[in-house]
Amino acid sequence: MAKKELPNALPFLEENPIVPVVVIDNAEDAVAAGEALVAGGVKCAEVTFRTPAGRQAIKEMSKVEGMTVGAGTIINREWAEEAADLGAKFFVSPGWSAGVADVAIERNIPYLPGLQTATEIMMALEYGAKAVKFFPGGEAGGLKMVKALRGPFPDLLFVPSGGVNAENLTDWISNPAIASVSGSWIIKRDLIKEHKFEEITRLSQEATDKVKEVRK
């Protein structure tokens, strides 16, 4: 039994099989970007903290009806507390942070740490993690690596991020070890900057349809 228990991320992931990574350079684009995702059947977004507009974008996108907005690139306790104050409904990190995990527990916010080794997974399991981000998915060995890790950790689910795209989405999402997939292919940074929101909706719908077909 974990001494500290992270909030269970599985209900959120079950409702959101696609978790898009959203990099926004102008917070004024946040609402339109969120609406474009929802129109395509994608109802959550990981808005990264790595741009100056990211924080305000979380606040703005949270106004979109039907959209659950989380904060990505959360690498320390300070940023986690700030993200929670901004209204983020989930945290995502590129690696493991006990400080972020502590805030997630204190604020009752699901946390997906980015992991790729057995040692890191064991650290997360000590906090009661039920699912983790597998990052960077492609470079860290892809689905073959996930299958290998599932051997010693049969009850853990993974959210691959990095290397997931329209071409391999079906391979990822059809594997029972995968709770959801994450990535930016449906809402690339340039599409937002160029206000190509109809294309974001098209790509989102395409991905949503593929997931429904696999998981029907």
Side-chain angles (χ1 to χ4, degrees):
M1 178 65 66
K3 296 179 181 179
K4 301 177 181 179
E5 195 80 17
L6 284 167
N8 187 356
L10 294 182
F12 164 72
L13 295 173
E14 288 171 3
E15 293 180 4
N16 297 280
I18 301 172
V19 183
V21 179
V22 183
V23 183
I24 293 186
D25 295 289
N26 186 341
E28 293 181 0
D29 295 331
V31 169
E35 290 175 342
L37 288 169
V38 171
V42 176
K43 299 182 179 180
C44 75
E46 172 199 334
V47 178
T48 69
F49 249 46
R50 64 178 184 258
T51 67
R55 290 157 173 80
Q56 185 62 29
I58 289 173
K59 293 179 65 176
E60 295 300 320
M61 193 179 289
S62 295
K63 299 174 183 178
V64 176
E65 185 175 355
M67 171 61 69
T68 300
V69 183
T73 328
I74 303 302
I75 59 175
N76 55 48
R77 182 184 180 95
E78 179 184 0
W79 283 14
E81 290 177 337
E82 186 178 357
D85 290 342
L86 289 168
K89 301 302 183 185
F90 61 95
F91 299 148
V92 184
S93 297
W96 168 258
S97 168
V100 175
D102 287 341
V103 175
I105 293 167
E106 294 162 9
R107 301 289 192 101
N108 194 32
I109 295 174
Y111 174 39
L112 293 174
L115 312 177
Q116 57 179 257
T117 69
T119 297
E120 293 167 324
I121 288 172
M122 290 169 65
M123 292 166 64
L125 289 177
E126 289 183 353
Y127 275 73
K130 304 292 190 299
V132 298
K133 173 181 174 180
F134 180 61
F135 177 79
E139 292 81 357
L143 189 54
K144 183 178 180 180
M145 184 63 171
V146 169
K147 291 177 180 178
L149 289 170
R150 196 82 190 294
F153 308 110
D155 298 323
L156 187 68
L157 294 181
F158 296 83
V159 181
S161 182
V164 181
N165 53 52
E167 286 69 38
N168 62 25
L169 172 60
T170 298
D171 292 336
W172 281 108
I173 207 70
S174 60
N175 189 278
I178 305 303
S180 303
V181 295
S182 177
S184 60
W185 84 96
I186 63 174
I187 186 165
K188 292 181 179 179
R189 191 173 189 172
D190 287 346
L191 291 178
I192 300 174
K193 292 174 71 173
E194 296 168 12
H195 292 179
K196 294 183 177 179
F197 300 116
E198 291 184 0
E199 178 66 3
I200 292 170
T201 295
R202 185 190 71 79
L203 292 169
S204 298
Q205 189 66 63
E206 179 182 79
T208 298
D209 289 344
K210 283 186 178 181
V211 172
K212 287 180 178 179
E213 179 63 25
V214 170
R215 294 192 167 180
K216 66 182 179 181

Coordinates of all heavy atoms in Angstrom, one line a residue, residues 13 53 64 67 72 83 92 99 104 108-109 118 122 153-154 184 189 198-199 206 209 212 215:
L13 N -9.0 9.1 -18.0 CA -8.4 8.5 -19.2 C -9.5 7.7 -20.0 O -9.5 7.6 -21.2 CB -7.2 7.7 -18.9 CG -6.0 8.5 -18.3 CD1 -4.9 7.5 -17.9 CD2 -5.5 9.5 -19.3
A53 N 2.5 32.2 -22.9 CA 1.0 32.3 -23.0 C 0.3 31.1 -22.3 O -0.9 31.2 -22.2 CB 0.6 32.4 -24.4
V64 N -14.3 26.9 -22.3 CA -14.9 26.2 -23.4 C -15.8 25.1 -22.9 O -15.3 24.2 -22.1 CB -13.9 25.6 -24.4 CG1 -14.6 24.8 -25.5 CG2 -13.1 26.7 -25.0
M67 N -14.9 21.0 -22.3 CA -13.5 20.8 -22.4 C -12.9 20.7 -21.0 O -13.2 21.5 -20.1 CB -12.9 22.0 -23.1 CG -11.3 22.1 -23.1 SD -10.5 20.7 -23.8 CE -10.9 20.9 -25.6
G72 N 0.5 20.9 -18.8 CA 1.7 20.0 -19.2 C 3.0 20.7 -18.9 O 3.1 21.9 -18.6
A83 N -0.4 25.9 -11.5 CA -1.4 25.3 -12.4 C -2.7 25.0 -11.7 O -3.8 25.2 -12.3 CB -0.8 24.0 -13.0
V92 N 0.6 17.0 -16.2 CA 1.4 16.1 -17.0 C 2.8 16.6 -16.9 O 3.1 17.8 -17.0 CB 1.0 16.0 -18.4 CG1 1.8 15.0 -19.2 CG2 -0.5 15.6 -18.6
G99 N 7.5 16.4 -5.9 CA 6.8 17.6 -5.5 C 5.5 17.8 -6.2 O 4.5 18.2 -5.6
A104 N -0.5 17.1 -6.4 CA -1.6 16.3 -6.9 C -2.5 15.7 -5.8 O -3.7 15.7 -5.9 CB -1.1 15.3 -7.9
N108 N -6.1 16.9 -5.0 CA -6.9 15.9 -5.6 C -7.0 16.1 -7.1 O -8.1 16.1 -7.7 CB -8.3 15.9 -5.0 CG -9.1 14.7 -5.4 OD1 -8.6 13.6 -5.6 ND2 -10.4 14.8 -5.5
I109 N -5.8 16.2 -7.8 CA -5.7 16.4 -9.2 C -5.0 15.2 -9.8 O -3.9 14.9 -9.4 CB -5.0 17.7 -9.5 CG1 -5.8 18.9 -9.0 CG2 -4.7 17.8 -11.0 CD1 -5.1 20.2 -9.1
A118 N 11.9 0.9 -15.6 CA 11.3 0.2 -14.5 C 11.5 0.9 -13.2 O 10.6 0.9 -12.3 CB 11.9 -1.2 -14.4
M122 N 8.5 2.2 -10.6 CA 8.5 1.7 -9.2 C 8.3 2.9 -8.3 O 7.6 2.9 -7.3 CB 9.7 0.9 -8.8 CG 9.6 -0.5 -9.5 SD 11.2 -1.5 -9.4 CE 11.2 -1.7 -7.6
F153 N 4.9 -5.2 -14.6 CA 3.9 -4.3 -14.1 C 2.6 -4.5 -14.8 O 2.1 -3.6 -15.6 CB 4.3 -2.8 -14.3 CG 5.7 -2.6 -13.7 CD1 6.8 -2.3 -14.6 CD2 6.0 -2.6 -12.3 CE1 8.1 -2.1 -14.1 CE2 7.2 -2.4 -11.8 CZ 8.3 -2.1 -12.7
P154 N 1.9 -5.7 -14.6 CA 0.8 -6.0 -15.4 C -0.5 -5.2 -15.2 O -1.4 -5.2 -16.1 CB 0.5 -7.5 -15.0 CG 1.1 -7.6 -13.6 CD 2.3 -6.7 -13.7
S184 N 0.7 15.8 -30.4 CA 0.3 17.1 -30.9 C -0.1 17.0 -32.4 O -0.4 18.1 -33.0 CB 1.5 18.1 -30.8 OG 2.6 17.6 -31.5
R189 N 1.3 23.2 -33.3 CA 1.5 24.6 -32.9 C 1.3 25.6 -34.1 O 0.6 26.6 -33.9 CB 3.0 24.7 -32.4 CG 3.3 26.1 -31.8 CD 4.7 26.0 -31.2 NE 5.0 27.1 -30.3 CZ 6.1 27.1 -29.6 NH1 7.0 26.1 -29.6 NH2 6.4 28.2 -28.9
E198 N -10.4 24.8 -38.5 CA -11.2 23.7 -39.2 C -10.3 22.5 -39.5 O -10.8 21.4 -39.4 CB -11.7 24.3 -40.6 CG -12.8 25.3 -40.4 CD -13.4 25.7 -41.7 OE1 -12.9 25.2 -42.8 OE2 -14.3 26.6 -41.7
E199 N -9.0 22.7 -39.7 CA -8.1 21.5 -39.9 C -7.9 20.8 -38.6 O -7.8 19.6 -38.6 CB -6.8 22.0 -40.4 CG -5.7 20.9 -40.6 CD -6.1 19.9 -41.7 OE1 -7.1 20.0 -42.4 OE2 -5.3 18.9 -41.9
E206 N -11.0 12.7 -37.2 CA -10.3 11.6 -37.8 C -9.8 10.6 -36.7 O -9.9 9.4 -36.8 CB -9.2 12.0 -38.7 CG -8.4 10.9 -39.4 CD -7.3 11.4 -40.3 OE1 -6.2 11.8 -39.7 OE2 -7.5 11.5 -41.5
D209 N -12.6 9.0 -34.6 CA -13.3 7.9 -35.4 C -12.4 6.7 -35.3 O -13.0 5.5 -35.2 CB -13.5 8.4 -36.8 CG -14.6 9.4 -36.9 OD1 -15.4 9.6 -35.9 OD2 -14.7 10.0 -38.0
K212 N -12.8 5.1 -31.9 CA -14.1 4.4 -31.7 C -14.2 3.1 -32.5 O -14.8 2.2 -32.0 CB -15.2 5.4 -32.2 CG -15.5 6.6 -31.3 CD -16.5 7.5 -31.8 CE -16.8 8.6 -30.9 NZ -17.9 9.5 -31.5
R215 N -12.2 0.5 -30.5 CA -12.7 0.2 -29.1 C -14.2 0.0 -29.1 O -14.8 -0.1 -28.0 CB -12.3 1.3 -28.2 CG -10.8 1.4 -28.0 CD -10.4 2.3 -26.8 NE -9.0 2.1 -26.4 CZ -8.4 2.8 -25.5 NH1 -9.1 3.7 -24.8 NH2 -7.2 2.6 -25.2

